[in-house]
Amino acid sequence: MIFDSLGISLIYGLIRGGKISGIADIDIKKPVFFILGFLFEFGLLNLSDRFPVIMSYRAFIHFLDYLMLFIGLWYNRHNRYMMIIGFGIFLNFIVIFANGGRMPVSIDALKAAGLYHLIPGLLSDGIATHQALTASTRLKFLSDVLFLPKPYPLPKAFSIGDLLIFTGTFLMVTNAMLKKTGKKYKEVEG
């Protein structure tokens, strides 16, 4: 949902008269850890079909992904929006590793979002980062049980943690865009 949040933040910030150049003023220390986390996640999602060894070590690689994110968050603990994002990442981490290293996804949420094409992969246990939510899933309420159906352009199933990541990213980007113009963002500043 981070790309959704970035896109919606940009549109909202521009509608409010914000400046895209304000994003460059966001102080992110040691971004290499976020980049590494993204690369581990990208590898899990896109390379596991070609390299079976990735599926064998998926939990370990996923743990490294989160470790990089937590280190990046530690260096940016001064940023209140990063703390919101960090809490969302922490909630996702808890449910993922309470269930063996993959995020449980509700099949009902996928159906409600119209994402029927993702169901066979989950049921065949063929996705490195996600698995089908079952009766034995732990912490179901933190799993991908929420959904956004069409007409939203990118329908999806998502978690409470994802929602917090979306919120923190939205507030950070929007606030930076509006600060550039000297406008106050009441929900953040007030």
Side-chain angles (χ1 to χ4, degrees), residues 1 5 10 26-27 45 49 53 58-59 66 69-70 83 97 103 120 125-126 133 142 147 152-153 163 169 176 178:
M1 286 195 68
S5 181
L10 288 172
I26 298 174
D27 181 26
L45 282 171
D49 288 348
V53 69
R58 65 184 179 230
Y66 274 86
L69 295 176
F70 286 133
M83 298 312 296
F97 288 97
M103 172 62 86
D125 208 28
L133 187 146
L142 292 178
F147 59 91
Y152 184 71
L163 186 60
T169 304
L178 295 177

Side-chain angles (χ1 to χ4, degrees), residues 134-181:
T134 66
S136 62
T137 297
R138 296 177 179 152
L139 303 170
K140 292 177 186 170
F141 71 101
L142 292 178
S143 301
D144 282 354
V145 294
L146 306 172
F147 59 91
L148 274 173
K150 288 188 176 185
Y152 184 71
L154 300 169
K156 59 184 55 12
F158 61 98
S159 67
I160 292 171
D162 293 335
L163 186 60
L164 288 170
I165 294 167
F166 176 96
T167 302
T169 304
F170 176 84
L171 292 174
M172 182 166 55
V173 171
T174 305
N175 198 41
M177 290 176 71
L178 295 177
K179 272 186 178 176
K180 191 71 174 181
T181 60

Side-chain angles (χ1 to χ4, degrees), residues 17-39:
K19 299 280 187 189
I20 290 178
S21 60
I23 297 170
D25 295 336
I26 298 174
D27 181 26
I28 297 179
K29 299 185 183 328
K30 307 280 186 186
V32 66
F33 291 108
F34 296 114
I35 293 168
L36 286 172
F38 176 78
L39 290 175

Side-chain angles (χ1 to χ4, degrees), residues 38-71:
F38 176 78
L39 290 175
F40 282 126
E41 184 84 11
F42 180 84
L44 279 170
L45 282 171
N46 297 295
L47 300 177
S48 59
D49 288 348
R50 284 186 268 166
F51 302 100
V53 69
I54 291 176
M55 283 299 274
S56 300
Y57 294 99
R58 65 184 179 230
F60 177 72
I61 297 168
H62 215 173
F63 181 80
L64 285 177
D65 169 13
Y66 274 86
L67 180 62
M68 294 299 108
L69 295 176
F70 286 133
I71 292 172

